[in-house]
């Protein structure tokens, strides 16, 4: 099964989440990127994403595989929309299932940071004034760059708050 997908229409999140269920999973983390109505002091009326699809698929698969290996998670998937999106539409969805929550959170963060940094997907903002502009994803933090290469612990964790 592919771990990365591009979609030019709205997606039912259950179709992305359900295949990630695993009997060994004790934690699931998801991230949803939504279209907001402002950016850098301008009122936004919608977005348009364009992708170099073949390269985006290859690089998206590589990024999710890196997260699976780096954090030792059981399953992960990332979906990125293309085409015209309205305010509030889902633009990016990431789901990660793992034995423990820490790995799920870290893998989810890794995937969104790397997707925004490495994928050949371009964003055009449409403003309420009627004009448009291509914008760069300049707010990408990559906190995992400061982690050791194998940040997952590889041993059983016990949630101290719950015994």
């Amino acid at each position: 099964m592919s771990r990365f997908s591009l979609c030019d229409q709205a997606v039912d999140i259950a179709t992305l989440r359900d295949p990630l269920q695993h009997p060994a999973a004790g934690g699931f983390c998801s991230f949803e990127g939504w279209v907001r109505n402002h950016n850098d002091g301008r009122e936004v009326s919608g977005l348009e994403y364009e992708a170099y699809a073949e390269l985006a698929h290859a690089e998206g698969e590589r990024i999710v595989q890196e997260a699976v290996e780096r954090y030792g998670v059981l399953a992960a998937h990332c979906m990125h929309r293309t085409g015209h999106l309205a305010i509030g539409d889902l633009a990016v969805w990431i789901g990660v299932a793992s034995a423990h929550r820490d790995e799920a959170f870290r893998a989810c963060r890794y995937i969104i940071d790397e997707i925004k940094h490495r994928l050949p997907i371009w964003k055009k903002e449409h403003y309420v004034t009627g004009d448009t502009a291509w914008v760069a994803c300049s707010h990408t933090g990559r906190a995992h760059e400061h982690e050791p290469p194998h940040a997952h612990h590889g041993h059983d964790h016990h949630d101290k708050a719950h015994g």
Side-chain angles (χ1 to χ4, degrees):
M1 178 184 149
S2 174
R3 291 179 167 165
F4 179 82
S5 55
L6 289 173
C7 297
D8 61 1
Q9 302 175 32
V11 175
D12 177 3
I13 294 172
T15 64
L16 302 171
R17 185 187 61 235
D18 291 351
L20 300 180
Q21 293 185 350
H22 191 286
F28 178 79
C29 181
S30 66
F31 171 80
E32 295 182 6
W34 301 341
V35 178
R36 67 176 177 266
N37 67 355
H38 66 280
N39 189 38
D40 288 336
R42 298 198 67 185
E43 292 183 68
V44 175
S45 60
L47 294 180
E48 180 179 344
Y49 285 105
E50 287 191 15
Y52 178 2
E54 184 175 298
L55 184 58
H57 277 285
E59 192 66 11
E61 288 282 344
R62 187 174 301 115
I63 290 167
V64 176
Q65 182 62 35
E66 288 169 3
V68 168
E69 292 172 3
R70 184 179 182 112
Y71 299 102
V73 299
L74 299 167
H77 187 86
C78 175
M79 181 283 303
H80 201 296
R81 288 282 313 273
T82 58
H84 292 274
L85 285 78
I87 301 301
D89 281 354
L90 180 68
V92 178
W93 184 89
I94 299 167
V96 177
S98 67
H100 307 286
R101 67 181 179 274
D102 187 49
E103 291 84 5
F105 281 123
R106 288 172 180 240
C108 197
R109 177 66 188 255
Y110 179 87
I111 293 168
I112 188 61
D113 287 350
E114 291 301 308
I115 292 293
K116 291 184 82 69
H117 186 72
R118 293 166 43 187
L119 280 191
I121 294 178
W122 298 273
K123 180 170 68 175
K124 184 183 214 178
E125 289 182 341
H126 293 255
Y127 303 105
V128 296
T129 56
D131 58 334
T132 63
W134 292 98
V135 295
C137 294
S138 59
H139 306 293
T140 303
R142 298 170 79 195
H144 59 271
E145 289 182 338
H146 305 290
E147 295 178 341
H150 296 287
H152 76 275
H153 305 290
H155 57 83
D156 286 340
H157 293 256
H158 298 284
D159 190 342
K160 291 180 177 142
H162 297 95

